[in-house]
Amino acid sequence: MKMIPLGRSGLTVSELCLGTMTWGSQNTEAEGHAQADLALDHGITFWDTAEMYPVNPVRAETVGLSEEIVGSWIKARGGRDRLVIATKITGTGQHVRPGEPITGASLRAAAEASLKRLNTDYIDLYQLHWPNRGSYHFRQNWSYAPTGIDRTAETAAMTDILTAAQSLIAEGKIRAIGLSNETVWGTARWLHLADTLGLPRMVSAQNEYSLLCRQFDTDHAELSLIEDLPLLAYSPLAAGLLSGKYAGDVTPSDSRRARVPDLGGRITPQVFPAVAACLAVAADHGLNPVQMAIAFCRTRPFPTIPIIGATKLADLATCIGAAELQLAPGVLADLNEVYRLHPRPF
């Protein structure tokens, strides 16, 4: 497993990141610990969670369980310094601080609560799960209209959050701060405020990215590359679609789709032809489709770290194997042709 710098953060992380969003819902504590052990045995020292997790679905009674399972693993195994742990403060929503936006005060309170659940004195990367004003993510690109945004109010809110982050960093409670589900304008504004006001700089962007979801490939890619802001690519398997397990519009009884039938808006009339085309490329080149999809994310011209996860230990092992796969030019050419034919299937 290669170790790479996380942008300008000063942190060094594994080239794959372990996602934990099923721990506490689809996975028990013991299963989460087994996944953590397997990941660490293969050199994956970068782990991602969130105060809102687990998902599939998000429920008020399970909020925080994923962090608690990470924390119980740390308590049982020790060696916190082996890991780079990322977590997130929830944006405006229904289950955590309902209806409340992220503020400097809520950033501090949420971070301190996460520290307790994680059984740690510090969070390596603390991320804003989504922006207060809304964004194009989670399939909102079909309806989100950036109208009525008060630039002055947004700037004041961002400054308040960065000032709180500066205090938390000075106290040693977090080491770096990052974004998730943010837009190009929002990311640029965060960076501008940090540079002009001497406040902490956002070090990463965690957005959805896969063979079926390539919104990051244009303006965001340019910003990422020039500003050295790596993409933490979540759902690199498009919620399991790229594994082929839903091909033919089937729903295995123990799958994520059995809990969330539309896979967060990813099930559309267009998606299965796109999946079939991707699976055909894997078959033509003798590749495992899961490993091909994850390895594809590592070929991008901007720095990208795929976040992998699974409910079954064997499936996680398959995902980890993607670190050893280098895609040939012919594979990439075929995948780009699939993208031209199926550019936005959900």
Side-chain angles (χ1 to χ4, degrees):
M1 190 67 58
K2 294 178 183 176
M3 303 299 291
I4 57 179
L6 184 67
R8 302 181 190 178
S9 68
L11 300 171
T12 300
V13 300
S14 51
E15 63 180 320
L16 298 179
C17 178
L18 176 66
T20 67
M21 70 177 188
T22 62
W23 299 6
S25 58
Q26 291 176 272
N27 288 112
T28 64
E29 179 182 50
E31 290 169 343
H33 286 193
Q35 289 189 20
D37 291 338
L38 179 67
L40 192 59
D41 285 346
H42 285 82
I44 298 179
T45 55
F46 188 22
W47 299 359
D48 179 73
T49 188
E51 67 169 345
M52 185 183 76
Y53 291 168
V55 299
N56 303 332
V58 179
R59 298 194 304 269
E61 59 268 28
T62 62
V63 162
L65 286 183
S66 296
E67 286 187 329
E68 290 181 12
I69 292 172
V70 173
S72 65
W73 184 95
I74 291 171
K75 184 176 181 179
R77 305 290 196 272
R80 167 68 178 89
D81 58 350
R82 297 177 292 178
L83 306 176
V84 175
I85 293 180
T87 191
K88 312 176 196 72
I89 177 174
T90 303
T92 305
Q94 299 176 346
H95 300 289
V96 183
R97 295 175 299 279
E100 293 185 20
I102 299 172
T103 64
S106 67
L107 188 86
R108 171 173 289 277
E112 291 178 344
S114 287
L115 287 168
K116 291 179 182 177
R117 286 190 291 268
L118 290 165
N119 270 315
T120 185
D121 296 327
Y122 63 97
I123 295 164
D124 295 286
L125 175 63
Y126 198 47
Q127 303 156 102
L128 312 185
H129 211 149
W130 58 82
N132 289 333
R133 67 188 183 283
S135 74
Y136 300 101
H137 303 281
F138 310 123
R139 258 56 60 206
Q140 295 174 123
N141 53 292
W142 301 110
S143 58
Y144 176 67
T147 56
I149 294 174
D150 186 328
R151 184 176 184 272
T152 300
E154 288 295 322
T155 299
M158 290 177 172
T159 303
D160 178 44
I161 291 166
L162 290 177
T163 301
Q166 185 176 54
S167 296
L168 288 166
I169 291 170
E171 295 166 22
K173 294 180 177 178
I174 65 174
R175 297 177 68 188
I177 188 166
L179 296 168
S180 183
N181 299 300
E182 184 53 278
T183 66
V184 173
W185 177 84
T187 304
R189 192 66 180 157
W190 287 108
L191 295 176
H192 171 78
L193 292 172
D195 290 344
T196 57
L197 301 178
L199 292 169
R201 200 173 195 272
M202 296 295 181
V203 303
S204 58
Q206 184 175 149
N207 286 7
E208 182 170 359
Y209 190 83
S210 72
L211 286 166
L212 302 182
C213 182
R214 294 178 60 173
Q215 285 175 259
F216 205 88
D217 273 348
T218 55
D219 292 355
H220 230 135
E222 179 185 45
L223 184 148
S224 171
L225 195 59
I226 294 173
E227 297 293 342
D228 196 13
L229 195 86
L231 168 65
L232 308 186
Y234 73 79
S235 293
L237 299 179
L241 282 161
L242 289 167
S243 72
K245 65 184 176 183
Y246 303 122
D249 202 7
V250 301
T251 303
S253 61
D254 59 349
S255 68
R256 177 174 178 175
R257 193 180 177 192
R259 291 167 172 255
V260 185
D262 71 344
L263 291 179
R266 297 178 181 89
I267 300 298
T268 68
Q270 298 80 31
V271 78
F272 290 111
V275 169
C278 290
L279 296 177
V281 173
D284 288 346
H285 292 274
L287 299 173
N288 179 289
V290 166
Q291 294 179 345
M292 181 188 74
I294 295 169
F296 166 78
C297 295
R298 295 287 291 123
T299 69
R300 301 299 77 211
F302 44 88
T304 306
I305 300 171
I307 301 174
I308 61 171
T311 56
K312 298 180 177 67
L313 209 58
D315 291 344
L316 181 61
T318 299
C319 292
I320 292 171
E324 301 175 3
L325 178 61
Q326 299 292 322
L327 297 183
V331 178
L332 295 174
D334 288 351
L335 290 174
N336 280 332
E337 182 61 24
V338 169
Y339 177 52
R340 292 179 69 88
L341 294 172
H342 307 277
R344 184 166 284 183
F346 51 69

